[in-house]
Amino acid sequence: MKQEVIAVAIDGPAGAGKSTIARAAAAQLGFVYVDTGALYRTIGLAVCRRGIDGTDTAGIVHTLPEIRVDLTYCDGAQHVLLDGEDVSDAIRTPEISVYASQVSVVPEVRAYLLDLQRDMARTQSVIMDGRDIGTVILPDARVKIFLTASPEKRAVRRCAELREKGQQVTLDEVLADMTRRDSQDEGRAVAPLKQAADAVRVDTSDLTLDESIEAVLRVIRASMKGE
């Protein structure tokens, strides 16, 4: 008997813990975790390396046919490749975060990545996180979750994450960057960040990481049981 393929869409603002929580939930359920933000960051990195400004739409569009973006999995962990190079660490800098937000407003970029993301969900059970998964990428996803937290809590978490990676950042800098990204993501004309009408809202402001993961798992398991 063929196993049912289930798609879980998790959307939310920057720093809400989507990647960490989605990755942990996927591991417990035996699903494939897809970090769509990594795809946009990779295009942002390609644009940055070519010396193209993040607001140069024509330059960004011209770059797309020249690059290849792939996702691979090693020991259950997602790795993103740019022209065959593993850039999983290189895309996690504040500079590339800005580029990712800028390139994500370009319709051609979103179209470039759309089929790649949808193909993953057609063939295997996935937990996919991003900004517009439940509204645009997987509008028919079995489970939709909008994961959020207060800007201050998100900034504290992201600051700690960056410092653990050796980056010298201040809380004020991270909060300012996060506020800017929120504004860009919510205000863009193409696929803005918003909660899908049928998504379950999960606020992790006052939850520990383990509690946040469990809250998301409860929503997914309830849906799988038809509750």
Side-chain angles (χ1 to χ4, degrees):
M1 183 177 178
K2 187 177 180 180
Q3 188 173 4
E4 181 184 10
V5 172
I6 297 172
V8 178
I10 299 182
D11 293 307
K18 298 187 301 295
S19 297
T20 301
I21 294 169
R23 185 183 295 108
Q28 290 200 40
L29 294 168
F31 288 12
V32 171
Y33 164 62
V34 182
D35 174 9
T36 62
L39 301 175
Y40 289 98
R41 285 174 176 270
T42 301
I43 291 180
L45 178 65
V47 170
C48 178
R49 285 181 171 179
R50 284 166 171 75
I52 300 170
D53 190 271
T55 60
D56 181 1
T57 300
I60 294 169
V61 173
H62 180 74
T63 297
L64 294 177
E66 302 175 355
I67 64 176
R68 191 180 84 249
V69 179
D70 297 295
L71 287 179
T72 63
Y73 294 87
C74 180
D75 297 326
Q78 174 184 283
H79 292 260
V80 62
L81 306 180
L82 173 60
D83 298 325
E85 175 193 351
D86 190 334
V87 294
S88 302
D89 291 329
I91 61 175
R92 300 295 176 181
T93 67
E95 179 185 21
I96 300 306
S97 291
V98 173
Y99 266 93
S101 190
Q102 290 172 328
V103 303
S104 68
V105 306
V106 179
E108 289 84 353
V109 171
R110 307 195 76 82
Y112 176 85
L113 294 174
L114 182 61
D115 287 341
L116 174 62
Q117 295 169 89
R118 286 183 173 170
D119 283 345
M120 293 176 186
R122 288 192 190 104
T123 58
Q124 55 202 334
S125 291
V126 301
I127 295 184
M128 192 176 292
D129 76 88
R131 302 289 194 281
D132 62 345
I133 309 304
T135 54
V136 177
I137 307 301
L138 302 177
D140 298 322
R142 171 80 167 268
V143 186
K144 297 180 185 179
I145 296 171
F146 191 82
L147 192 68
T148 189
S150 69
E152 293 76 18
K153 289 291 180 67
R154 290 188 281 126
V156 168
R157 294 168 182 170
R158 178 57 60 85
C159 190
E161 176 186 336
L162 293 173
R163 287 174 177 171
E164 284 180 6
K165 294 180 178 179
Q167 297 182 30
Q168 302 301 315
V169 295
T170 67
L171 180 58
D172 287 343
E173 288 172 341
V174 175
L175 180 57
D177 177 61
M178 194 160 287
T179 300
R180 182 169 58 250
R181 289 194 65 190
D182 285 350
S183 179
Q184 289 177 332
D185 291 341
E186 293 170 1
R188 68 191 181 205
V190 179
L193 168 66
K194 64 179 180 179
Q195 181 175 337
D198 53 346
V200 177
R201 189 180 186 89
V202 177
D203 191 318
T204 67
S205 297
D206 299 318
L207 301 180
T208 65
L209 176 57
D210 287 344
E211 290 171 339
S212 299
I213 295 169
E214 187 54 40
V216 166
L217 284 170
R218 279 198 300 271
V219 174
I220 297 171
R221 286 169 173 152
S223 178
M224 291 172 66
K225 292 178 182 178
E227 296 178 5

